[in-house]
Amino acid sequence: MVKNKKTLVIQKIIRSHLAKNQLLSIIVFSSIITLLGTGLQLFVEYKDDIKYLDVQLSQIESGHLESLTGSLWTIDTKQIEIKLNNILSLRDIVYLEIVEKGKVITSAGKRPLKNAKLQKYSMIYNQRDTKVKIGNLHAWVSFKGVYQRMLKRLFIILGTQGLKTFIVSLFILFILYQKVIQHLIKLADH
């Protein structure tokens, strides 16, 4: 009877001490790995989003500026409005204005108060082999969308990585219990 009580005490000590230490070690290590992985993934995705903003800005110049300049030259206000709205449909482009001789002649969108980048384009019209500058297009790109996407990705990545870490941790604890702690308990019995 004394041996059984001694064995039970040893078993409780082994179970509680080893299990707590292993659980704490696994959770700390897994959490660090999860946070590092999340940070790296967010950094890569942030860089990709910034590159995409530059692609959007170059798309204005290559795909929209010439036709917008033509509409400005012919003073076709309806086409100017349509073309500005087409540019505003590009992701994160939030405000546009056409400036002529330092004066804003038309605008579209909502001018951001902060977290924005301004890109200026010269509007040059080709008139019979002569280039005439008729104004400037100012485009504002907002980083608000980038930050919102990063926050959303943060929760998704942490959620999926955290769940994966939790499941792997439970599996490791189960294996440790089956292979190590059960073996120590058997040794304590003898």
Side-chain angles (χ1 to χ4, degrees):
M1 193 72 163
V2 171
K3 185 177 181 184
N4 284 342
K5 284 184 180 180
K6 184 180 177 184
T7 303
L8 288 175
V9 169
I10 291 172
Q11 286 177 351
K12 284 184 177 180
I13 291 171
I14 290 172
R15 282 183 181 152
S16 66
H17 183 68
L18 285 176
K20 285 178 185 176
N21 282 344
Q22 291 304 314
L23 178 64
L24 183 63
S25 298
I26 289 170
I27 288 174
V28 168
F29 180 74
S30 298
S31 297
I32 290 170
I33 295 301
T34 297
L35 290 173
L36 288 174
T38 299
L40 178 63
Q41 190 170 350
L42 283 175
F43 177 75
V44 168
E45 290 190 22
Y46 175 78
K47 289 294 187 184
D48 287 345
D49 259 11
I50 297 301
K51 284 180 187 175
Y52 188 76
L53 288 178
D54 290 336
V55 168
Q56 295 287 72
L57 291 172
S58 66
Q59 189 175 353
I60 291 172
E61 188 168 22
S62 64
H64 298 278
L65 192 60
E66 187 176 333
S67 64
L68 183 61
T69 302
S71 297
L72 183 61
W73 179 259
T74 59
I75 312 172
D76 187 345
T77 55
K78 182 68 176 164
Q79 281 302 310
I80 291 172
E81 181 182 332
I82 289 170
K83 290 175 188 343
L84 289 177
N85 286 327
N86 285 340
I87 296 171
L88 281 176
S89 69
L90 298 173
R91 188 173 84 180
D92 299 319
I93 307 294
V94 293
Y95 181 70
L96 302 164
E97 62 185 21
I98 297 176
V99 179
E100 188 178 340
K101 297 179 184 174
K103 182 181 174 190
V104 177
I105 58 172
T106 189
S107 65
K110 184 177 178 186
R111 190 171 187 166
L113 301 175
K114 59 181 179 175
N115 296 328
K117 175 182 178 181
L118 169 62
Q119 183 72 36
K120 297 179 181 181
Y121 304 92
S122 293
M123 300 178 78
I124 299 172
Y125 186 75
N126 289 324
Q127 180 187 28
R128 297 185 194 138
D129 299 329
T130 304
K131 293 183 178 187
V132 179
K133 182 176 179 180
I134 59 172
N136 291 303
L137 174 66
H138 296 175
W140 276 264
V141 178
S142 175
F143 291 103
K144 184 179 179 182
V146 173
Y147 299 146
Q148 288 173 342
R149 287 189 295 279
M150 288 296 112
L151 187 61
K152 182 179 178 183
R153 288 176 186 148
L154 173 68
F155 289 123
I156 291 170
I157 294 167
L158 277 179
T160 57
Q161 292 291 332
L163 181 63
K164 181 174 72 174
T165 299
F166 178 74
I167 291 170
V168 169
S169 297
L170 285 179
F171 178 73
I172 291 171
L173 283 174
F174 175 76
I175 296 298
L176 278 173
Y177 182 79
Q178 293 296 319
K179 302 292 183 188
V180 177
I181 295 175
Q182 289 290 4
H183 183 67
L184 290 174
I185 291 171
K186 285 179 186 177
L187 286 175
D189 284 341
H190 297 300

